[in-house]
């Protein structure tokens, strides 16, 4: 096992320990049956992640640690967007608007409105979304064609780091452990991941 592979394996184990459940097999089957839709929604997710990072940079201008981490994250997410878009174009898939999944909105509706609680919660939601993205990339890799498997495998390291960055910023904003608040969001995330959904998206629940 190479050092890089070992590092990714450890990062994935950390993420599996962090998340409340694994992605259901039904969702993986949904993804494999809707790969064009998966790629389109993935592109939207990367674009949204970059937008969120930039919004945080504008709101919290006095937090140098946040500014540096979010600047790097935004650049990486935009590069990932460009890479997904290239695959979409190469495969002749029409890139179009999609209605968002209930996932992110379901997590964010519990975010407090005033700081520092708001910042703590936004960071925790960011950590959960990045962790789930990483977990799903890894879950899909064994079933994808070589091009997509290589691409999704290449995203694991950066997504795992994004999760850790968000979590560290939550602890910083809270000036201490965030376990109790995190447990609230983790419970919501589990429900969103396991309950049936009506429309397939990258962060949807399983669709019958």
């Amino acid at each position: 096992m190479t050092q890089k592979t070992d590092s990714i394996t450890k990062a994935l184990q950390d993420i599996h320990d962090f998340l409340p459940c694994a992605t259901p097999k039904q969702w993986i089957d949904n993804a494999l049956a809707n790969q064009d839709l998966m790629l389109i929604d993935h592109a939207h997710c990367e674009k949204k992640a970059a937008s969120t990072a930039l919004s945080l940079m504008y709101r919290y201008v006095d937090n140098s640690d946040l500014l540096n981490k979010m600047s790097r994250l935004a650049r990486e997410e935009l590069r990932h967007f460009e890479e997904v878009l290239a695959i979409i174009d190469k495969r002749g898939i029409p890139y179009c608007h999609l209605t968002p999944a209930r996932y992110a909105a379901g997590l964010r509706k519990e975010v407090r409105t005033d700081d520092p609680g708001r910042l703590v919660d936004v960071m925790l939601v960011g950590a959960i979304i990045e962790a789930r993205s990483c977990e799903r990339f890894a879950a899909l890799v064994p079933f994808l064609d070589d091009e997509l498997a290589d691409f999704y495998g290449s995203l694991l390291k950066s997504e795992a780091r994004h999760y850790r960055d968000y979590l560290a910023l939550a602890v910083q904003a809270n000036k201490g452990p965030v376990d109790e608040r995190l447990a609230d969001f983790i419970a919501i995330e589990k429900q969103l991941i396991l309950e049936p959904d009506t429309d397939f998206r990258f962060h949807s629940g399983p669709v019958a």
Side-chain angles (χ1 to χ4, degrees), residues 2-202:
T2 66
Q3 186 175 358
K4 180 180 179 182
T5 302
D6 188 44
S7 174
I8 292 174
T9 300
K10 289 179 180 177
L12 283 173
Q13 185 58 57
D14 183 37
I15 282 171
H16 287 143
D17 292 342
F18 173 76
L19 291 171
C21 62
T23 287
K25 176 63 165 58
Q26 180 62 48
W27 181 89
I28 296 174
D29 292 341
N30 296 150
L32 297 175
N34 295 277
Q35 292 189 44
D36 289 4
L37 183 57
M38 177 184 72
L39 287 167
I40 294 168
D41 196 48
H42 178 190
H44 285 299
C45 289
E46 298 289 2
K47 188 166 55 174
K48 178 61 178 175
S51 174
T52 297
L54 290 171
S55 295
L56 289 165
M57 290 174 67
Y58 278 105
R59 185 178 182 102
Y60 299 101
V61 296
D62 58 343
N63 188 329
S64 61
D65 196 20
L66 180 148
L67 291 173
N68 279 294
K69 283 184 169 67
M70 291 300 104
S71 177
R72 181 179 183 182
L73 187 149
R75 291 197 307 274
E76 289 179 337
E77 301 289 24
L78 284 174
R79 186 170 69 249
H80 297 163
F81 168 73
E82 292 166 2
E83 290 169 345
V84 181
L85 200 59
I87 292 172
I88 287 172
D89 289 343
K90 180 180 178 182
R91 297 185 177 209
I93 302 168
Y95 181 58
C96 59
H97 175 74
L98 293 176
T99 56
R102 62 192 173 113
Y103 179 80
L107 288 168
R108 290 182 177 130
K109 72 179 182 180
E110 298 302 321
V111 170
R112 288 170 284 185
T113 56
D114 297 322
D115 284 317
R118 181 185 185 278
L119 179 57
V120 173
D121 290 354
V122 169
M123 294 298 106
L124 290 176
V125 169
I128 291 170
I129 292 174
E130 294 291 339
R132 181 58 68 185
S133 298
C134 190
E135 186 262 352
R136 290 202 156 172
F137 290 143
L140 285 167
V141 163
F143 305 103
L144 299 172
D145 61 70
D146 289 345
E147 180 183 41
L148 276 187
D150 287 346
F151 174 54
Y152 277 12
S154 73
L155 299 180
L156 295 177
K157 187 175 179 181
S158 59
E159 297 298 316
R161 187 182 65 257
H162 296 167
Y163 140 73
R164 291 193 301 270
D165 284 348
Y166 270 121
L167 199 55
L169 288 168
V171 172
Q172 179 194 79
N174 201 49
K175 294 181 169 53
V178 292
D179 297 13
E180 186 175 337
R181 189 62 180 158
L182 176 60
D184 294 338
F185 284 105
I186 285 292
I188 296 168
E189 207 262 354
K190 182 176 182 179
Q191 187 175 14
L192 292 166
I193 289 299
L194 296 182
E195 285 189 352
D197 238 319
T198 55
D199 298 304
F200 170 77
R201 295 290 185 270
F202 192 84

